[in-house]
Amino acid sequence: MSEVETKKPQESLQDRLAQVVELLQRHRLVEDLTHRQEGHHQDRVEGLVHRQNLAELQRKLDDLHSADVAYILEALPLEDRLAIWQLVKADRDGDILLEVSDAVRETLLADMEDHEILAAAKEMDADELADLASELPRDVVHELMETLDAQQRERVRSALSYEEEQVGALMDFEMVTIREDVSLEVVLRYLRRLKELPGHTDKLFVVDYDGVLKGVLSIKRLLVNDPEKQVAEVMANDPVSFHPDEDAYDAAQAFERYDLISAPVVDKNGKLIGRLTIDEMVDLIREESESEVLNMAGLREEEDIFASVWKSVRNRWAWLAVNLITAFMASRVIGLFEGSIEKLVALAALMPIVAGIGGNSGNQTITMIVRAMALDQVSTGNGNTSRLIRKELGVALINGLVWGGVIGVVAYGLYDSWSLGVVMTAAMTLNLLLAALMGVLIPMTLMRLGRDPAMGASVMITAVTDSGGFFIFLGLATLFLL
């Protein structure tokens, strides 16, 4: 379910958010002032001002696209978010619920009565209902399924039967099918009778009487060819198609690679059962990207930025605990060399440089490897791991010698010790080599174990380069300087 006509963006989203926040603040300020007034007309004045401010806010919301309202809701604290949500017209609830993030949707649904959720869900298509079903109260889902006709009910069940990351969970059932043995003129007349096409319709799907996909007819070919021609003469016989149990992210990559707007989904017998559209693929890529960023930081799930303190703590504690353990290990490494640090205080000033540069280099390597894995350019079984390790070690060696040499010269200038400069150069080079090695092995190992290769990778590489950097630098200093 999408809005057919989108409003042109005359101003930035930040401007729209600022206007809504200003109206909310003005509304609360006026309310506060009227509460302090005394007199017989206080209630009347307060009611009038209250209605005027709410009407202005509602007009502003009515002028905004559902995606813009969703953006504003995500950017507001819970109290303000719910105040704005109450002003949204009921017939737009479904569109906005589909646009907001999962975490924010949870707060909005918690504020709605069952009948309000039911009314919003009734306006949705089967694929959209399937997206939302897992977050709705069970009794609401049951009641909603009872209100659907047999075809819609079957479509919802079909979409729910697939895993979240499969094509079948994302496919759309609204599409236009035609036969190959009719003329283009007949197709044009048929489309005119429809009056409205499903969103993102760039092609029509050609099927036989059993519903088996025979090809696709692009709207462009339909419009520029002679109306007397048969569909079979101008259709494409080998369209890019997908099976419902395929990985959805692979499909998203195919959309990007082939510049697709829509594509058919067929079962194992070649029967057309649905289609994928570009809007779903863009959403999937964005969610995958956000998930990757969260995983690298050690966050377990998407978090509402205005969530309660305890909810945020539950989302973040696990990897902080891991980080605490690794930080303690790094401190114990330093503790092993307390005597060396006491004899040469310069070591305390220089060792954070070695660890910091190593952590940055390791994160660069991990970012490149995780990206390559996401694009299927690298996997644990294609034999490229050893080549990648050699390449990254070569990059680390050159960077270590160059920048280690720079900091070595600086150390010599500061402390008038050429041997300290050499140790600094060697330590930085060795730590960069360690960072490169672990930057490849950590995501590869996580993938081999069936885990997300980005999960906590940033935390792990920092732990390795900190402990390793301290050990290498202080160890070399103890051997050659003391």
Side-chain angles (χ1 to χ4, degrees), residues 328-395:
F328 179 77
M329 292 170 58
S331 72
R332 288 299 81 213
V333 170
I334 295 173
L336 295 174
F337 299 95
E338 286 179 353
S340 302
I341 296 173
E342 288 176 359
K343 293 177 184 177
L344 189 57
V345 180
L347 299 179
L350 294 174
M351 65 183 184
I353 298 175
V354 176
I357 295 296
N360 185 45
S361 177
N363 274 308
Q364 288 177 340
T365 301
I366 276 186
T367 300
M368 294 298 297
I369 298 300
V370 170
R371 176 184 177 276
M373 286 179 167
L375 296 175
D376 287 333
Q377 296 170 342
V378 174
S379 68
T380 56
N382 63 6
N384 288 332
T385 304
S386 58
R387 180 175 297 181
L388 277 172
I389 291 176
R390 289 196 300 271
K391 179 255 185 178
E392 291 300 325
L393 288 177
V395 173

Side-chain angles (χ1 to χ4, degrees), residues 92 133 163 243 350 455:
R92 302 184 68 194
E163 298 292 335
H243 295 287
L350 294 174
M455 177 59 74

Side-chain angles (χ1 to χ4, degrees), residues 111-129:
D111 190 57
M112 298 175 70
E113 300 290 339
D114 284 357
H115 68 88
E116 294 176 315
I117 298 176
L118 193 61
K122 283 181 178 178
E123 300 297 320
M124 298 180 186
D125 296 329
D127 57 311
E128 294 167 339
L129 283 175

